Amino acid sequence: ASILEDRHGKIWFGVVGPSDESGPFCHVVESATRCYGSAAGTAAFRAAQALTEDARGDLWIGGDTVLLRWNSSSHTEFRPGGLKDNHSQVGVSGLVAMPDGSLWVGFGKAGPGLGLQRLADRRWESVKLPGFDSSALIVTALRRDRHGALWIGTLDDGIYRLHNQAVEHFDSTRGLSGDYVLNFAEDRGGSFWVGSTQGWD
């Protein structure tokens, strides 16, 4: 369901429908894998749908009803109210850790406290700018580019680019192949790639 290379080059991945023994997220150890089950604080997870690493080296793992800050010695759960009855559905769909310690969280549902939220000092907040309400989005992908801009992929409204309190919008009427965005990538030359249900741009 998700994959991450951490600062040490270790590969982590999230799985869907784990058993209690295997756990919802794992990392690669040479030619094997090590997974973390309920004993590691992951009992609330049916799938690790999104992964990121913050500036302190903690992992953040998003599931259907819970967001978890995790390291090998401690963990903290965050339970957004809008995901209370969201079992086995897309919950946290994207995560981006920022240098200031805040976290952008994308949700696969729109509504109060959902859409796109910023978590800072244990407080959730949405972004409202002229013509833009982040809680109204159905987020499918998130990525921060090398210039610090946040790219937001949506289910049916293309892309939003948020930077310095300004928002740009790109969709199929402006040349994007498809409005259902699946993922993002940035290459070594600085070009930004968008994968949609209709192709790559």
Side-chain angles (χ1 to χ4, degrees), residues 15-25 45-48:
V15 297
V16 177
S19 67
D20 182 63
E21 295 77 22
S22 66
F25 70 102
F45 281 86
R46 288 175 176 80

Side-chain angles (χ1 to χ4, degrees), residues 106-150:
F107 295 95
K109 289 187 168 185
L114 296 173
L116 175 70
Q117 299 288 318
R118 183 174 178 265
L119 178 63
D121 298 323
R122 295 178 174 265
R123 291 182 319 205
W124 296 93
E125 56 186 15
S126 57
V127 177
K128 291 189 177 181
L129 297 169
F132 179 79
D133 178 358
S134 69
S135 66
L137 304 176
I138 300 175
V139 178
T140 54
L142 284 180
R143 188 172 180 106
R144 180 176 179 262
D145 69 20
R146 65 184 64 190
H147 304 294
L150 182 70

Side-chain angles (χ1 to χ4, degrees), residues 55-68:
R56 299 188 307 179
D58 291 342
L59 292 181
W60 290 82
I61 305 133
D64 55 355
T65 63
V66 66
L67 173 66
L68 182 70

Side-chain angles (χ1 to χ4, degrees), residues 23-38:
F25 70 102
C26 313
H27 69 85
V28 178
V29 183
E30 296 181 355
S31 60
T33 58
R34 178 180 176 188
C35 298
Y36 297 85
S38 58

Side-chain angles (χ1 to χ4, degrees), residues 26-193:
C26 313
H27 69 85
V28 178
V29 183
E30 296 181 355
S31 60
T33 58
R34 178 180 176 188
C35 298
Y36 297 85
S38 58
T42 65
F45 281 86
R46 288 175 176 80
Q49 298 170 349
L51 293 169
T52 195
E53 180 185 25
D54 68 19
R56 299 188 307 179
D58 291 342
L59 292 181
W60 290 82
I61 305 133
D64 55 355
T65 63
V66 66
L67 173 66
L68 182 70
R69 182 202 56 79
W70 185 91
N71 62 46
S72 58
S73 59
S74 69
H75 63 274
T76 305
E77 288 186 2
F78 297 84
R79 292 185 173 271
L83 298 183
K84 182 178 179 181
D85 299 315
N86 196 57
H87 300 287
S88 301
Q89 301 178 62
V90 176
V92 177
S93 55
L95 295 168
V96 170
M98 300 296 284
D100 64 2
S102 65
L103 185 76
W104 286 106
V105 183
F107 295 95
K109 289 187 168 185
L114 296 173
L116 175 70
Q117 299 288 318
R118 183 174 178 265
L119 178 63
D121 298 323
R122 295 178 174 265
R123 291 182 319 205
W124 296 93
E125 56 186 15
S126 57
V127 177
K128 291 189 177 181
L129 297 169
F132 179 79
D133 178 358
S134 69
S135 66
L137 304 176
I138 300 175
V139 178
T140 54
L142 284 180
R143 188 172 180 106
R144 180 176 179 262
D145 69 20
R146 65 184 64 190
H147 304 294
L150 182 70
W151 293 77
I152 308 152
T154 69
L155 180 69
D156 56 10
D157 202 23
I159 303 166
Y160 291 87
R161 180 180 180 271
L162 180 61
H163 190 52
N164 293 333
Q165 293 298 301
V167 176
E168 294 177 273
H169 181 226
F170 308 94
D171 62 14
S172 57
T173 67
R174 298 185 61 192
L176 193 66
S177 291
D179 290 330
Y180 183 169
V181 176
L182 300 172
N183 47 34
F184 296 123
E186 187 175 11
D187 66 26
R188 293 179 183 178
S191 293
F192 205 79
W193 295 81

